Amino acid sequence: ALVYDAELDVYYVLSDDRGNTDDPRFYTMKIASDGSEVTIEEVTFLLDESGQTIAEGSIDPEGIALLDRWLFISSEGDIELSPIVDPAVYEYTLIGERTASFTIPEKFLPDGAETSGIRNNSAFESLTLSPNGTVLTTAVENSLFQDGPKSTTDIDSFVRLIQFDIATMQPTAEYVYVTNIVEEKGIIAENGLVELIALDNAGNYLALERSY
C-alpha cells in the first residue's frame, strides 16, 4: 500500500512483509513532476511498542494512511502461528516508532478453533482515512468465520467494514460489504476486498476486490 504526503511531496510505500525474511518497513518514494523517474529516498523499519525491532512474524503490514505527521498501519495477523497473532491497526511516527494501537472488537479476534474471528490471510488488508481526518476505516478481506463462508463460484461473502474514531482510537460503527461470487473456478476460487479509499466524509468509498 502507499499514501501521499502532500506537505513533503513524497509517498510512503508499505512493504507487505511479515518479517519472515526482512524487517517490516516502509519506503519514502519521490516521483518526478513529469513522471519520468521514481526515486527511493529512504527506508524506515517498523518498531514495536518498546522501540525494539519487531519479532519475526508478529506483524503482517497491509494498509497505510497518513494524518499530519502520523502514519496508521493495518496488520492482518496470522492464525496459523503459535501463539496466534491478532489483526491490528497501529499508529506510527514517520521514523517507525509505534505509539498506539486501536481497539479491535473481540468478534474479529481468532479463537484458535476457526469458529470465530478472522480467516488466515484474509483480515485487515485495506485502510483509509476520511478527508476531514476524523474516521479511519478498514475491513476484513473475507468473511469472519462466524459470518459465513468465503465467496465461491456459487455464493457471495459478507465482509465487515469497521470505522474508528481517530481521537479515541475506538470502533464506532460496522457495515456489511458483499463480495461478488467468483466468476471462474480454479485451483483456488475466492474473491476478497483488498483496498478502500474514502471519497468523502459521508461514508462513500472506492473499493477494490481481487480474485483467485
Side-chain angles (χ1 to χ4, degrees):
L2 80 169
V3 65
Y4 179 59
D5 185 340
E7 181 176 330
L8 300 179
D9 190 27
V10 295
Y11 293 85
Y12 303 117
V13 185
L14 186 65
S15 175
D16 181 4
D17 191 326
R18 292 190 174 194
N20 298 326
T21 55
D22 298 295
D23 293 326
R25 61 208 178 276
F26 67 87
Y27 299 92
T28 302
M29 184 177 75
K30 183 85 171 180
I31 300 178
S33 58
D34 61 359
S36 62
E37 185 179 17
V38 176
T39 305
I40 303 297
E41 297 191 334
E42 188 175 2
V43 57
T44 303
F45 295 100
L46 302 178
L47 304 176
D48 62 18
E49 289 89 344
S50 61
Q52 303 300 309
T53 301
I54 292 176
E56 181 177 327
S58 63
I59 187 175
D60 182 10
E62 296 289 355
I64 190 169
L66 174 71
L67 178 63
D68 298 326
R69 300 294 87 200
W70 301 96
L71 288 172
F72 305 106
I73 292 176
S74 63
S75 171
E76 278 196 310
D78 194 330
I79 72 172
E80 295 183 348
L81 289 180
S82 182
I84 286 173
V85 179
D86 290 332
V89 179
Y90 300 113
E91 178 188 75
Y92 274 92
T93 68
L94 291 178
I95 60 173
E97 298 171 324
R98 185 186 296 175
T99 50
S101 300
F102 286 73
T103 299
I104 307 300
E106 186 175 356
K107 66 172 72 71
F108 291 89
L109 306 181
D111 63 359
E114 298 191 356
T115 59
S116 181
I118 62 164
R119 299 176 186 273
N120 198 53
N121 205 30
S122 292
F124 296 155
E125 189 92 12
S126 57
L127 196 65
T128 186
L129 186 67
S130 61
N132 62 10
T134 63
V135 177
L136 190 70
T137 303
T138 186
V140 288
E141 191 174 354
N142 241 306
S143 64
L144 302 178
F145 281 111
Q146 67 268 34
D147 287 341
K150 297 187 294 184
S151 56
T152 69
T153 52
D154 300 314
I155 58 172
D156 47 27
S157 179
F158 297 114
V159 169
R160 289 182 188 248
L161 278 71
I162 177 170
Q163 292 182 335
F164 297 92
D165 177 77
I166 284 291
T168 64
M169 295 190 171
Q170 298 294 318
T172 57
E174 293 179 25
Y175 301 95
V176 175
Y177 176 97
V178 181
T179 61
N180 292 328
I181 63 171
V182 183
E183 295 297 330
E184 184 176 348
K185 186 171 180 60
I187 297 175
I188 301 174
E190 63 178 47
N191 283 347
L193 176 62
V194 293
E195 192 57 281
L196 291 167
I197 295 177
L199 298 177
D200 54 31
N201 300 314
N204 294 298
Y205 297 88
L206 183 65
L208 179 68
E209 288 189 37
R210 64 102 180 104
S211 61
Y212 287 154

